[in-house]
Structure formats: C-alpha cells, structure tokens
Amino acid sequence: MHFRDILYSVRDRVARITLNKPEKLNALSWGSWAEIENAVAMAEADDAVRAVVFTGAGRGFCAGTDLTTATTEADWPARPFPGRAGLLRSRFLATAQVYHCRKPTIAAVNGPCVGAGFSLAMACDIRIAAESARFSAIFVKRAIVADTGSTWLLPRLVGQEWAYRLLYTGEMIDARQAERIGLVSQVVPDEELLEVAGALACSIARGPSVAIELMKRLVQEGASRGLDEQIELEQFLQQITHATEDAEEGRRSFLEKREPIFKGR
C-alpha cells in the first residue's frame, strides 16, 4: 500500500511506522490517521512482524493535529474497516487501535510530542524518549477538551494528580521530567534513540510471541478485573502457552543450558 504521510517498513521482525511530514513537525490530518490505521492493520496481519515501533521524521515526533491541511476525504486512503464500520467508526479511535494492537508497540519519541501526537505516544506499550523530547497535552491552550484518548491514557500512566496538572495547564515537560513521573521508561541521547528503541523491539521480537501477546492482553484487561478473576485467567492462558512449540523450546533450552530460539508458535 502506498502511503503519503507516513513511512512503513519491516526489518528483523519489527515494523517501523514513521510519521513523515517533517516540514510540519509531523502534524496529523485525518488522512494521516487513516494511514496509521492501515499500517497498524498491516502489522497485525503480518505473522512476520513481532513488534511495532512508532517514531517521527525530522526534529519532532508529532505536533498534534494539522490545522493547515487542504485535503478532503476524497484524498484520504480507505480505512481498514469493512462495511458500515468503515463509514461510521470515529477517526478519533485510531489511538485505540494502536493501544489494542495485538503486538507489542514502542514509541521512540524525538522532539515535540503534543496534543494528538501525545495521545499516540501514550497509546503505545513502551515509550523511549530522546533528550530533545518534550510533551504537552496542549488542548486546554486551545480552550478545548482533550481528545484521542488522552484523558483515559494519561492517568493510567502517571496517576490522577499529574494527569490533572498536565490536562489543566497544558504545560510542556521535558524528557527527564517525563521519566520522573513515569510517562517514559528511558531517556537517551538523540542520536541513539532509534538504535535503542530498535534494539528493544528486536529483543522483544525474538521472544515467544504467543506468550507475549497474551501477556499484553492480560495486562490491559486486568485493569478492569478483580485479582481472583485475573489469576484464574492467567492460569487458563498459561495452559494454552504450555502447549506451544516455544514453551517446549524454553524447557529444552533451559535443560541444555543455551539460549532459546523461539518461532512464535
């Protein structure tokens, strides 16, 4: 599929989705969101892909919504939802598609990451920030309510108090402060960002993908379950993974004192 606003590539079992409007700090139009939806759908459907990395071209991750685009719906790619869903599914749900992606996702955040771009980064499982990264839930500065899932994602990452503060003020925080409040897990020099994020993605991609995908599901769904119910589901899904070839390889490699070679089945 041809993309205009993003770049999509697969290497070493990792799909990289790069927001690619550097002249606009990768601001997102509705067409950009449609391309992201298609790219995520492609990564999910490709059994060769085991992890997904999001990043931005140039000096920023994403400046939020593109308020200057002149494109119309006729210019946008078809969305990856058949039938009525393709017509009625809100484009604001693209971040939910990223969040629910069956495969592990990593945001490699470079430079400004604000508004809808902030939501996109938060929708990923893991965030690694360049030293130049800056974050803002900027919506309040436009006198509008936050969208694209920010009010759901932010308190789950940093707690209610910091979520309130960032949402109420729209203040910009730097990478080190983002790390202190738990918004990102690692800060690295700008020139090392893609190497570090890529190495982590490749490490995850070499793992037992069936178990990893089920653990992602358990973590996400566990937020709405009681402990007893969660333990029961863990046990049920663990029995499923015990029956995989990767589990057998894990046991065999332990006994043979070597690194396991997982095949994702």
Side-chain angles (χ1 to χ4, degrees), residues 6-158:
I6 67 171
L7 302 175
Y8 180 88
S9 62
V10 177
R11 181 179 178 185
D12 296 330
R13 295 182 284 192
V14 175
R16 181 185 291 182
I17 299 172
T18 304
L19 309 183
N20 191 39
K21 292 195 293 184
E23 72 283 1
K24 295 186 177 183
L25 285 178
N26 303 314
L28 296 165
S29 67
W30 289 127
S32 309
W33 282 120
E35 292 189 6
I36 290 170
E37 289 175 334
N38 278 284
V40 172
M42 288 169 58
E44 280 209 291
D46 187 350
D47 288 340
V49 171
R50 305 283 183 81
V52 182
V53 173
F54 288 84
T55 194
R59 60 188 180 87
F61 182 80
C62 179
T65 299
D66 185 355
L67 301 176
T68 66
T69 182
T71 62
T72 66
E73 190 163 359
D75 302 313
W76 307 338
R79 303 172 72 200
F81 309 105
R84 187 177 299 168
L87 297 173
L88 301 181
R89 189 180 190 277
S90 170
R91 293 186 182 276
F92 288 94
L93 285 169
T95 47
Q97 186 190 6
V98 174
Y99 179 82
H100 292 299
C101 178
R102 182 167 51 86
K103 300 176 181 183
T105 54
I106 297 171
V109 182
N110 52 313
C113 176
V114 304
F118 187 27
S119 299
L120 175 60
M122 289 192 292
C124 294
D125 302 338
I126 298 167
R127 283 151 298 284
I128 299 175
E131 290 177 338
S132 65
R134 293 173 288 145
F135 302 84
S136 172
I138 201 169
F139 307 95
V140 73
K141 292 185 178 293
R142 307 291 180 262
I144 58 175
V145 166
D147 61 25
T148 52
S150 287
T151 61
W152 192 91
L153 294 161
L154 189 54
R156 283 166 170 77
L157 291 172
V158 302

Side-chain angles (χ1 to χ4, degrees), residues 239-258:
Q239 294 307 310
I240 292 176
T241 54
H242 272 308
T244 62
E245 291 182 28
D246 281 349
E248 177 59 30
E249 167 65 7
R251 292 188 289 268
R252 188 184 304 114
S253 63
F254 174 76
L255 295 173
E256 295 174 359
K257 296 181 173 57
R258 60 173 175 81

